[in-house]
Amino acid sequence: MIELSYTHIDSPVGSLLVAGDDDALHYLCFPNSPNAIAPRSDWHQTEAPFLEVRRQLAAYFNGELRQFDLPLFLTGTVFQKSVWRHLSTIPFGETQTYGQLAAILERPKASRAVGAANASNPLPIILPCHRVIGGNGSLTGFGGGLPTKECLLSHEGVLTPSFLKN
């Protein structure tokens, strides 16, 4: 059994719970997310394993980092992992629709399954599921809440007046 450590990192979108081991980051959770997890009794609170996570998150929110480079540990189905891996290829400041992502994964009728995989993403922001939007351009669903999705997309320059007109 893997022993996990955790800490909280303050950010413009609230206090983020991050958890992992000495080798990889396992979770990043928004405080008010329906998928939020609380530290388990066997987890250890410590800062040490998360110094690089903290540095990269700060650089992202300061506009100095566009893509994270952290070791990640993903637990999920083969399909979920394929969705989550693809998320990291969506460039900063760009979006894809659930349907586009399904087509890229060669599962063109799986846009709902893509949405479900996004909803269970254990590492939002790091694996930027906020960059996936509805087919009509709407900001549908996000584990951190739509105001957080709007904040992240605004930070990345996606939510401009022309985007909001669509």
Side-chain angles (χ1 to χ4, degrees), residues 143-156:
L146 288 182
T148 300
K149 186 171 188 164
E150 288 179 19
C151 179
L152 293 170
L153 291 174
S154 291
H155 166 69
E156 294 187 12

Side-chain angles (χ1 to χ4, degrees), residues 90-113:
I90 303 172
F92 180 98
E94 295 183 22
T95 59
Q96 287 182 354
T97 67
Y98 295 96
Q100 287 171 325
L101 205 157
I104 288 166
L105 296 175
E106 298 180 356
R107 302 272 306 269
K109 295 183 181 186
S111 58
R112 286 190 177 177

Side-chain angles (χ1 to χ4, degrees), residues 95 133 135-139 158 160-166:
T95 59
I133 60 174
N136 63 358
S138 63
L139 302 184
V158 172
T160 62
S162 61
F163 181 91
L164 295 172
K165 283 183 183 179
N166 292 335

Side-chain angles (χ1 to χ4, degrees), residues 66-104:
R66 293 178 169 245
Q67 184 162 3
F68 293 90
D69 183 19
L70 296 165
L72 307 176
F73 180 87
L74 299 174
T75 301
T77 67
V78 171
F79 180 76
Q80 286 174 322
K81 289 179 185 180
S82 70
V83 170
W84 298 336
R85 284 187 192 103
H86 177 75
L87 294 173
S88 67
T89 70
I90 303 172
F92 180 98
E94 295 183 22
T95 59
Q96 287 182 354
T97 67
Y98 295 96
Q100 287 171 325
L101 205 157
I104 288 166

Side-chain angles (χ1 to χ4, degrees), residues 5-90:
S5 299
Y6 75 95
T7 194
H8 291 89
I9 297 175
D10 289 331
S11 80
V13 294
S15 178
L16 305 171
L17 170 77
V18 294
D21 58 26
D22 289 336
D23 297 322
L25 185 64
H26 292 230
Y27 302 105
L28 182 148
C29 299
F30 297 104
N32 300 322
S33 168
N35 297 332
I37 58 172
R40 293 183 11 186
S41 60
D42 60 335
W43 292 7
H44 306 284
Q45 186 170 9
T46 180
E47 297 281 321
F50 307 108
L51 297 177
E52 183 61 13
V53 176
R54 181 181 302 278
R55 186 195 70 74
Q56 288 193 34
L57 283 168
Y60 168 78
F61 284 113
N62 286 331
E64 301 160 357
L65 181 81
R66 293 178 169 245
Q67 184 162 3
F68 293 90
D69 183 19
L70 296 165
L72 307 176
F73 180 87
L74 299 174
T75 301
T77 67
V78 171
F79 180 76
Q80 286 174 322
K81 289 179 185 180
S82 70
V83 170
W84 298 336
R85 284 187 192 103
H86 177 75
L87 294 173
S88 67
T89 70
I90 303 172

